[in-house]
Amino acid sequence: MAIRVFHFILLFLSFTNLTYSLYEDQVGLMDWHQKYIGKVKHAVFHTQKTGRKRVLVSTEENVVASLDLRHGEIFWRHVLGTNDVIDGLDIALGKYVITLSSDGSILRAWNLPDGQMVWESSLPGSKASKSILNIPKNLKADKDDLILVYSKGSLNAVSGVDGEVLWKKDFADESIEVSHIIQSSDVIYVAGFVGSSKIHVYGLNAKSGELLDKNHAALPSGTFGELLSVSGDTFVVLDEMRSKIVIIHLKNGEISYNQKHISDLTEDIAGQAVILPSRLPGMFALNINSYVLLIKVTNQGELVLVDKVNNGAAVSDSLSISEDEHAFAFVHYGDNKIHLSVKNVNDWNHDLLKESIVIEHQRGKIDKIFVNNYVRTDRSHGFRALMVMEDHSLLLVQQGEIVWSREDGLASVVDVTTSELPVQKEGVSVAKVEQNLFEWLKGHMLKLKGTLMIASPDDLAAIQALRLRSSEKSKMTRDHNGFRKLLIVLTRAGKVFALHTGDGRVVWSILLPSLRKSEACENPVGLHIYQWQVPHHHALDENPSVLVVGRCGPSLSAPTVLSFIDAYTGMELKSLSPAHTAAQVIPLPHTDSTEQRLHLIIDDNQHAYLYPRTPEAIDILKHEFSNVYWYSVDADNGVIRGHALKSNCVQEAVDEYCFDFRDLWSVVFPSESEKIIATMTRKPNEVVHTQAKVMTDYDVMYKYISKNLLFVANAAPKAAGEIGTVIPEEAWLVIYILDTVTGRILHRMTHNGCQGPVHAVFSENWVVYHYFNLRAHRYEMSVVEIYDQSRADNKDVWRFVLGKHNLTSPISSYSRPEVIAKSQSYFFTHSVKAIEVTSTAKGITSKQLLIGTIGDQVLALDKRFLDPRRTVNPSQAEKEDGIIPLTDSLPIIPQSYITHALKVEGLRGIVTVPAKLESTSLVFVYGVDLFFTQIAPSRTYDSLTEDFSYALLLLTIVALVAAIFVTWVLSERKDLQDKWR
């Protein structure tokens, strides 16, 4: 009875809290939001005397932004979208920021001061080609500043004023791969290759696009890499053997060339040469192994080696510092420092700038450098350099110091895990107690003034600051509510960050040496991060650790990299480069005596490898050998397979930690009618409070709870693309719920006229998924709940009393389950990027769905809105049970956005973590931005709220004590008077 009353209270509380909202002064107390831009690809400085100094950038996260040159803060930014890759960036007319994106098909102009879009032009074409953005200087056509764009096999001349296409020249039929666009008075030259050995040059009228001249020449051999312009009429390119430099001259439309062996320039350096893309007038940079050769091209077409830099890192484009002078910057490493040099292209003997900078080694090497100049008070030239680091961070260096830095690697988070903070063990001093007592009294006096509404504006500001400080949310120790944790995130650059959940600050970071670019690992990529060692109360002297799994390339056959990191200090404990690959990583539900979790790493040769590689781990695995199952999904071939361990590997080298495995079952979907587009399974650490669910007629149904369930969504092959590419009659969506131990299909359902993309979340015995209905032209969300009919006999209370129930009997996937499914579908307004469900410590609190919308916000939707038992006219019993009347659409309540008015730009994932306080769930949202908050789906029924008036409580207690004392005195006086009578 007590349990039923407790559940009724929880239901009542959740029913009265369908929305999640905050007062204005509560924003920032329990959440934080961080803005980033990603790894910079292009940068253009704007440092005119009028207006604020800024740098315009575009990034690999498809962000175009304007940054404050003084502090690195974001003035404005736009996130263009996943498929809208930025190909070029420049400034036109001194007031527009021009971006070219989507493979050169979209040209946009943004207002420089505020980032508002001025115009947008579509540049269609029929041929895939390289995209080139060129804004000629001092070249006009009918008084319109031209913007030249080559894309899709066509050259377009676009007006910089309104984005109108003035003329277009199609090269699709010429089979030419255009590499450069060169301006010369009123003639525009277009140069490129047909094949790899035939160069073509076209001369066009700048005003009309009319073809004026056409020339071509055949080179003696093929070429390697891109054609690089070193002046208006001279180009360089490597031959196909990368042993010679080919110099191509263009004069009055005529083409000539000559060649020179690299060995003639330097004899003591050998290796594969690459021409760096830096644009330098009359010069170019050649990279060979760790050396950078700076080579000058004379007016006679001869090559002269100007300098040879060892440990060269990056070379900038040239910068015009006067009418006839150009400077550029290059950096190299030495003595654990970065040496920055700025030189005049025409005067190599003197340094315009030479500085040494100390940069923390965790940022890695310099990937790109952009240089800008300014005039000092003594009228000499000063320089500032914008550096893009290996970990995707951004630094501005000036006068040998780092002016500001941005951790923009956090814009590319690929995986997240959590770690508990250490337990507080230190004692507390008397001085600290006295100080805390004074602060406590001062704080309560301020709160009392606020309660009595006599607080001044300064007092209100002090109360707000006191709230932030007294919450102790940024301490580096555990709290009794479990709100303070470490979010350990892995980025695309192979860097691991530990973020404090209290304020989002970086506690530590490490750029993994094993995931840095090297000769042994040319294209490192971080894949996943797992909890490796989680010490409990009997082993608190051990620090927790995490496992990072990476590969030296995108393919499954690339070598594997394993790194083990201390979660408290960020130190790499050890790293491994095993001989096998890592196609799949399976955390097992077993730990050894040191709390290290067992993992199986599956390679692409049907072998499973056990980690940690210890005898104890082998013993544990052998004991659970027959209970280890997993599955694999081959989406390309439409096959899902179940696997189990078989025996030790049979190899030339004996490895007791290597096991062969066998296929237990396979489900092959018909390729002509179905294609796998999404799969989802339950969280392995999810806690389910109870299996029983009481219906409105006081009947009991039992949830089918199994960690071996898999949700699969298949679409018609024609409907596997984007929305609108197929008619409703050719589209259907088929969903399955499988048992991954036996391969048995427990439930199957078809949605005709529907297509993906499908986003799903699986929790307890239910799955919710989102898709598009072509017939209704709207998005839909469906729910499926699975119940176990084999336990239907447990409805009689006397069976519980007499102990004749079968709830404690073990559940086996091999016993054919008697299950029934209940489902319902609803219209939903938004497109969805991600779906997650709240998680709590005991699983008692009601669930909320966290939906990442297309607007990059997170909506909290009560699970009761997705109850398949909803009816149009619920009975009185159903109303008492909290069932909401059925509507065809799910509600969008503005106060239910847990991100408030903020946006998590480029939202990619949502992670929920249970707190120790049962009512509260921690939510971390990542994309280009990061966002963290705490939510209580059923309100904070097990704790006092932040705005609870402790001062009023104290005042009440004092009044009660005073009243008790007064009544006691009066009572004593009355007793004395009675005795004298």
Side-chain angles (χ1 to χ4, degrees):
M1 185 64 185
I3 295 176
R4 184 178 294 273
V5 171
F6 181 66
H7 280 290
F8 179 76
I9 293 173
L10 289 185
L11 182 63
F12 174 76
L13 290 174
S14 63
F15 184 75
T16 59
N17 189 38
L18 297 178
T19 63
Y20 176 85
S21 57
L22 292 175
Y23 292 105
E24 184 178 359
D25 62 344
Q26 289 178 313
V27 175
L29 289 175
M30 297 182 297
D31 57 69
W32 45 264
H33 180 231
Q34 298 175 354
K35 293 182 177 181
Y36 297 102
I37 56 174
K39 183 182 180 182
V40 171
K41 295 195 298 185
H42 312 99
V44 180
F45 290 90
H46 186 265
T47 56
Q48 295 180 357
K49 292 183 179 179
T50 59
R52 304 175 72 175
K53 292 179 173 57
R54 64 186 72 210
V55 57
L56 292 311
V57 298
S58 67
T59 72
E60 292 184 354
E61 302 300 325
N62 304 333
V63 177
V64 54
S66 173
L67 302 181
D68 184 358
L69 206 53
R70 296 182 183 274
H71 308 291
E73 298 173 351
I74 298 174
F75 282 142
W76 56 261
R77 64 171 181 168
H78 294 285
V79 182
L80 301 186
T82 306
N83 299 320
D84 201 1
V85 179
I86 300 175
D87 305 308
L89 175 80
D90 209 337
I91 296 178
L93 301 175
K95 60 180 181 179
Y96 294 156
V97 180
I98 307 297
T99 59
L100 180 66
S101 59
S102 294
D103 294 326
S105 61
I106 299 178
L107 187 69
R108 297 183 178 96
W110 314 88
N111 194 30
L112 182 62
D114 57 13
Q116 295 294 320
M117 190 167 69
V118 181
W119 51 257
E120 177 181 287
S121 293
S122 178
L123 306 175
S126 58
K127 178 186 175 184
S129 66
K130 178 183 176 182
S131 300
I132 302 174
L133 173 66
N134 186 293
I135 301 181
K137 310 302 179 186
N138 303 320
L139 178 63
K140 292 188 177 181
D142 297 331
K143 298 182 180 180
D144 262 343
D145 278 87
L146 281 181
I147 300 173
L148 300 177
V149 177
Y150 177 79
S151 65
K152 305 287 186 181
S154 301
L155 179 65
N156 300 270
V158 183
S159 168
V161 176
D162 55 11
E164 179 187 358
V165 179
L166 302 176
W167 52 262
K168 177 179 179 180
K169 174 63 178 176
D170 193 359
F171 292 94
D173 298 332
E174 304 290 339
S175 300
I176 183 176
E177 290 292 335
V178 173
S179 299
H180 277 280
I181 303 171
I182 309 105
Q183 64 185 67
S184 177
S185 63
D186 291 334
V187 180
I188 297 172
Y189 291 100
V190 178
F193 283 100
V194 175
S196 63
S197 61
K198 201 170 187 180
I199 184 169
H200 285 238
V201 177
Y202 299 84
L204 305 176
N205 187 301
K207 294 184 178 181
S208 63
E210 178 187 358
L211 181 64
L212 301 177
D213 193 14
K214 176 181 177 181
N215 285 287
H216 67 272
L219 302 180
S221 63
T223 57
F224 173 83
E226 295 286 341
L227 190 69
L228 182 69
S229 173
V230 294
S231 65
D233 55 2
T234 305
F235 305 90
V236 293
V237 70
L238 291 174
D239 73 336
E240 59 184 354
M241 301 302 296
R242 299 163 71 177
S243 62
K244 298 178 183 177
I245 302 172
V246 182
I247 307 98
I248 301 171
H249 305 276
L250 174 64
K251 192 170 183 179
N252 298 325
E254 297 293 330
I255 303 171
S256 61
Y257 66 88
N258 60 304
Q259 303 179 84
K260 188 157 189 173
H261 279 276
I262 298 176
S263 58
D264 294 339
L265 297 172
T266 175
E267 298 180 355
D268 54 345
I269 302 176
Q272 298 291 329
V274 176
I275 294 179
L276 299 180
S278 302
R279 285 173 277 184
L280 309 174
M283 294 183 64
F284 66 96
L286 191 70
N287 186 19
I288 305 178
N289 294 336
S290 62
Y291 286 87
V292 174
L293 308 183
L294 296 167
I295 302 171
K296 189 175 184 63
V297 183
T298 65
N299 295 331
Q300 292 76 29
E302 297 296 325
L303 301 183
V304 179
L305 179 62
V306 176
D307 201 355
K308 179 169 60 177
V309 183
N310 192 11
N311 294 320
V315 180
S316 74
D317 287 344
S318 65
L319 171 72
S320 177
I321 56 177
S322 64
E323 185 175 351
D324 297 323
E325 290 185 312
H326 292 81
F328 73 100
F330 65 90
V331 289
H332 67 280
Y333 302 102
D335 300 327
N336 296 321
K337 293 182 180 180
I338 291 178
H339 302 282
L340 171 65
S341 300
V342 178
K343 288 185 176 285
N344 190 324
V345 172
N346 300 320
D347 185 7
W348 196 258
N349 295 323
H350 298 89
D351 292 314
L352 297 175
L353 178 72
K354 195 165 188 177
E355 296 174 344
S356 296
I357 309 127
V358 178
I359 298 178
E360 54 181 308
H361 68 280
Q362 293 298 345
R363 296 192 183 276
K365 295 183 177 180
I366 297 176
D367 192 67
K368 292 180 181 178
I369 181 172
F370 305 91
V371 67
N372 176 245
N373 72 310
Y374 60 94
V375 179
R376 297 191 181 105
T377 55
D378 61 356
R379 311 305 297 173
S380 62
H381 289 288
F383 296 90
R384 55 175 74 96
L386 188 70
M387 298 181 180
V388 183
M389 307 302 293
E390 186 180 356
D391 68 342
H392 298 184
S393 61
L394 189 65
L395 284 71
L396 184 74
V397 174
Q398 187 173 328
Q399 295 181 357
E401 299 291 336
I402 298 175
V403 179
W404 51 259
S405 63
R406 294 180 52 88
E407 292 289 355
D408 283 304
L410 286 169
S412 58
V413 173
V414 296
D415 202 7
V416 184
T417 189
T418 60
S419 174
E420 294 288 350
L421 285 165
V423 177
Q424 186 171 1
K425 298 180 180 179
E426 297 81 17
V428 181
S429 65
V430 176
K432 188 173 182 181
V433 171
E434 292 176 350
Q435 182 184 5
N436 288 345
L437 181 61
F438 174 75
E439 292 291 334
W440 182 81
L441 291 173
K442 179 183 176 182
H444 281 288
M445 289 300 296
L446 287 171
K447 287 183 179 179
L448 182 59
K449 293 173 70 175
T451 303
L452 299 176
M453 292 185 292
I454 58 174
S456 65
D458 292 338
D459 290 336
L460 292 176
I463 291 172
Q464 180 71 0
L466 187 65
R467 280 184 177 180
L468 292 171
R469 188 170 63 252
S470 64
S471 63
E472 296 186 341
K473 62 180 184 178
S474 59
K475 289 180 66 176
M476 282 300 298
T477 55
R478 300 184 192 182
D479 61 315
H480 64 279
N481 289 329
F483 294 161
R484 294 198 297 262
K485 297 180 185 291
L486 287 179
L487 294 167
I488 303 179
V489 301
L490 172 66
T491 67
R492 191 181 302 132
K495 191 171 186 177
V496 181
F497 291 86
L499 308 178
H500 197 291
T501 57
D503 52 9
R505 72 181 187 275
V506 176
V507 178
W508 54 258
S509 62
I510 177 173
L511 182 61
L512 298 176
S514 52
L515 283 179
R516 294 182 64 176
K517 190 172 183 180
S518 62
E519 293 183 3
C521 192
E522 292 187 359
N523 297 300
V525 55
L527 298 177
H528 296 288
I529 186 168
Y530 302 92
Q531 290 183 340
W532 174 254
Q533 187 177 20
V534 185
H536 290 83
H537 295 290
H538 62 278
L540 287 176
D541 54 333
E542 295 283 343
N543 287 0
S545 56
V546 295
L547 165 66
V548 177
V549 181
R551 278 200 298 256
C552 290
S555 67
L556 294 178
S557 59
T560 304
V561 176
L562 305 179
S563 181
F564 303 87
I565 304 171
D566 189 308
Y568 287 170
T569 64
M571 292 179 58
E572 187 176 36
L573 303 176
K574 64 177 178 178
S575 64
L576 301 174
S577 298
H580 59 81
T581 59
Q584 193 175 359
V585 180
I586 304 168
L588 299 178
H590 310 293
T591 58
D592 60 15
S593 59
T594 62
E595 303 290 348
Q596 289 185 343
R597 182 173 293 275
L598 273 62
H599 289 70
L600 281 180
I601 297 182
I602 315 301
D603 70 358
D604 57 348
N605 293 320
Q606 299 287 304
H607 297 311
Y609 295 86
L610 176 64
Y611 289 88
R613 298 170 70 86
T614 61
E616 184 184 2
I618 284 286
D619 294 338
I620 295 172
L621 183 64
K622 287 181 178 178
H623 185 264
E624 299 291 339
F625 201 82
S626 60
N627 294 323
V628 178
Y629 301 91
W630 70 95
Y631 68 93
S632 60
V633 179
D634 185 356
D636 294 334
N637 297 315
V639 181
I640 299 178
R641 297 182 177 88
H643 312 286
L645 295 175
K646 182 180 178 182
S647 61
N648 281 98
C649 298
V650 180
Q651 296 177 335
E652 294 182 2
V654 178
D655 187 354
E656 61 177 331
Y657 303 101
C658 174
F659 299 90
D660 290 327
F661 59 86
R662 66 186 190 276
D663 293 344
L664 295 178
W665 54 266
S666 63
V667 177
V668 181
F669 299 104
S671 59
E672 64 277 3
S673 60
E674 295 181 26
K675 178 178 176 60
I676 300 174
I677 59 172
T679 60
M680 180 57 62
T681 187
R682 279 183 57 200
K683 288 182 180 178
N685 58 348
E686 184 184 29
V687 178
V688 180
H689 174 61
T690 178
Q691 290 185 335
K693 186 171 185 178
V694 181
M695 300 301 178
T696 54
D697 56 356
Y698 298 103
D699 191 10
V700 179
M701 296 190 70
Y702 292 93
K703 305 172 185 176
Y704 186 76
I705 304 295
S706 173
K707 294 183 178 180
N708 302 317
L709 296 184
L710 174 67
F711 168 81
V712 183
N714 292 352
K718 291 184 178 180
E722 295 182 358
I723 294 174
T725 56
V726 67
I727 59 176
E729 289 73 18
E730 297 177 336
W732 54 84
L733 201 64
V734 186
I735 66 103
Y736 299 86
I737 296 179
L738 305 176
D739 189 300
T740 58
V741 173
T742 63
R744 185 178 293 119
I745 298 176
L746 302 179
H747 181 67
R748 180 184 184 274
M749 186 165 61
T750 302
H751 299 274
N752 290 312
C754 299
Q755 71 171 122
V758 173
H759 298 275
V761 62
F762 208 140
S763 177
E764 295 188 354
N765 68 319
W766 53 265
V767 59
V768 172
Y769 52 100
H770 176 276
Y771 54 92
F772 188 76
N773 189 325
L774 290 168
R775 297 185 189 277
H777 302 285
R778 299 174 71 178
Y779 288 99
E780 284 186 2
M781 290 184 75
S782 293
V783 58
V784 178
E785 294 184 356
I786 304 175
Y787 294 94
D788 189 353
Q789 284 294 91
S790 64
R791 305 192 174 205
D793 296 336
N794 295 315
K795 299 175 183 178
D796 189 354
V797 69
W798 289 106
R799 285 182 170 268
F800 290 95
V801 175
L802 300 175
K804 293 185 177 181
H805 59 79
N806 64 350
L807 291 179
T808 58
S809 59
I811 300 175
S812 173
S813 294
Y814 285 103
S815 61
R816 182 176 292 274
E818 300 175 22
V819 299
I820 62 169
K822 295 179 179 290
S823 62
Q824 184 66 272
S825 297
Y826 307 90
F827 290 124
F828 189 68
T829 305
H830 295 297
S831 176
V832 166
K833 289 186 173 182
I835 304 180
E836 190 52 88
V837 65
T838 56
S839 57
T840 55
K842 304 296 182 183
I844 300 173
T845 306
S846 59
K847 302 282 187 180
Q848 279 188 340
L849 292 172
L850 303 178
I851 303 171
T853 65
I854 193 66
D856 291 324
Q857 291 184 297
V858 179
L859 175 72
L861 183 65
D862 198 297
K863 168 60 174 61
R864 291 182 297 115
F865 284 113
L866 285 152
D867 192 332
R869 298 179 297 161
R870 289 177 63 185
T871 58
V872 177
N873 297 310
S875 63
Q876 185 61 32
E878 289 175 332
K879 290 180 181 178
E880 292 176 359
D881 198 31
I883 292 180
I884 304 170
L886 178 65
T887 56
D888 62 347
S889 299
L890 295 173
I892 305 296
I893 305 172
Q895 292 82 4
S896 296
Y897 285 99
I898 68 172
T899 48
H900 322 303
L902 303 172
K903 281 189 175 184
V904 185
E905 295 285 2
L907 189 152
R908 291 192 302 273
I910 304 171
V911 178
T912 59
V913 182
K916 289 182 181 178
L917 206 62
E918 170 57 28
S919 64
T920 307
S921 181
L922 310 180
V923 182
F924 178 61
V925 188
Y926 62 92
V928 175
D929 295 346
L930 303 181
F931 178 81
F932 176 85
T933 190
Q934 305 169 14
I935 63 172
S938 300
R939 292 192 176 181
T940 52
Y941 56 84
D942 50 359
S943 65
L944 297 175
T945 59
E946 288 283 340
D947 56 353
F948 181 80
S949 180
Y950 292 92
L952 186 60
L953 176 63
L954 180 64
L955 189 63
T956 304
I957 293 172
V958 171
L960 287 173
V961 171
I964 291 171
F965 179 76
V966 170
T967 54
W968 176 76
V969 170
L970 293 176
S971 176
E972 288 292 318
R973 183 178 299 177
K974 186 176 182 300
D975 289 343
L976 183 62
Q977 290 176 353
D978 290 341
K979 289 178 181 180
W980 277 103
R981 289 179 181 177

